[in-house]
Amino acid sequence: MPEVKSILREVLPKQGQLYMEDVPTMVLCKPKLLPLKSVTLEKLEKMQMEAQEAVKQQELALKEQVQQAPS
């Protein structure tokens, strides 16, 4: 890359005090990968699915009993 020359030139005083202002800058760090779902949320979803499956099985069992009873 070609060097860009500064329009402003640096001037150092021959008398007096010289100080430098420290300006805070952003420091970029590695991104942290976070799970899309937490472990607790996954457990809750699993429990909900199991409960839904149990309800479906109970409904099927009831339907079978109702179908067998009248005949």
Side-chain angles (χ1 to χ4, degrees):
M1 262 172 37
E3 280 190 42
V4 179
K5 292 196 176 190
S6 176
I7 297 172
L8 301 174
R9 61 186 187 102
E10 188 177 298
V11 177
L12 295 175
K14 297 194 188 296
Q15 292 180 349
Q17 293 180 351
L18 179 66
Y19 68 94
M20 186 175 132
E21 221 174 282
D22 187 26
V23 180
T25 58
M26 287 179 40
V27 176
L28 299 176
C29 57
K30 284 179 141 182
K32 293 177 176 60
L33 296 177
L34 299 175
L36 294 177
K37 292 183 179 180
S38 68
V39 175
T40 308
L41 181 61
E42 287 179 359
K43 286 181 182 178
L44 287 173
E45 286 179 346
K46 183 179 177 185
M47 287 172 54
Q48 185 178 13
M49 286 177 57
E50 289 172 352
Q52 286 176 346
E53 289 291 326
V55 169
K56 284 181 185 178
Q57 288 177 359
Q58 288 176 355
E59 287 176 352
L60 288 174
L62 284 174
K63 283 182 184 178
E64 288 177 3
Q65 287 177 358
V66 170
Q67 288 176 354
Q68 291 176 358
S71 28

